[in-house]
Amino acid sequence: MPDMDVALKDAMQIDGALGAALVDYNSGMALGIAGGAKDLDLTIAAAGNSDVIRAKLRTMEMLGLNETIDDILVTLSDQYHLIRPLTGRSGRGLFLYLVLTKARANLALARHHLRQIEQGIDI
């Protein structure tokens, strides 16, 4: 089973990947980061997307939905932002965050690859 650094490097191998992070959504802290750029601060994005996850989980609870989130997609004009909560026992409270450039990314393949990374990660 890959550790966090290997998982993030694997995520960066996805076509169009600009940055990846493993995030604790309770604190908003990025536990690990790969990639990024001057105009893509993954530390700030980690904190902001933690709010997204917590808001969605609260909404699902209020609606009485007994479901799990596979992933959350935010589509921007030039980028995809994928948020994938970890479902394994050791990953509770964590999510993988992946930023892709739309011009190079295949969204379906990226989601599939991120799911494989999530299933194999050992934290």
Side-chain angles (χ1 to χ4, degrees):
M1 291 189 168
D3 67 5
M4 174 183 60
D5 292 329
V6 173
L8 292 174
K9 286 178 186 174
D10 286 347
M12 289 303 296
Q13 297 305 307
I14 297 171
D15 279 343
L18 298 174
L22 180 67
V23 183
D24 177 335
Y25 64 75
N26 293 306
S27 69
M29 182 168 56
L31 305 177
I33 291 175
K38 185 179 79 171
D39 59 345
L40 177 61
D41 186 330
L42 290 169
T43 304
I44 293 172
N49 285 301
S50 294
D51 292 338
V52 172
I53 288 266
R54 288 191 306 264
K56 186 60 187 171
L57 289 171
R58 276 192 312 270
T59 302
M60 289 171 57
E61 184 179 343
M62 289 186 292
L63 292 171
L65 297 176
N66 191 18
E67 299 280 337
T68 58
I69 299 171
D70 285 340
D71 59 42
I72 296 172
L73 171 65
V74 177
T75 304
L76 305 178
S77 58
D78 294 328
Q79 297 175 349
Y80 295 121
H81 292 232
L82 275 171
I83 302 166
R84 182 164 186 91
L86 302 187
T87 56
R89 194 176 66 206
S90 66
R92 291 188 70 79
L94 304 178
F95 69 91
L96 283 167
Y97 174 59
L98 179 65
V99 180
L100 302 159
T101 181
K102 283 173 77 174
R104 290 192 44 222
N106 177 318
L107 186 56
L109 286 175
R111 291 179 70 221
H112 176 73
H113 196 104
L114 201 59
R115 181 175 36 254
Q116 288 179 322
I117 293 169
E118 186 260 331
Q119 289 174 346
I121 197 167
D122 186 24
I123 305 297

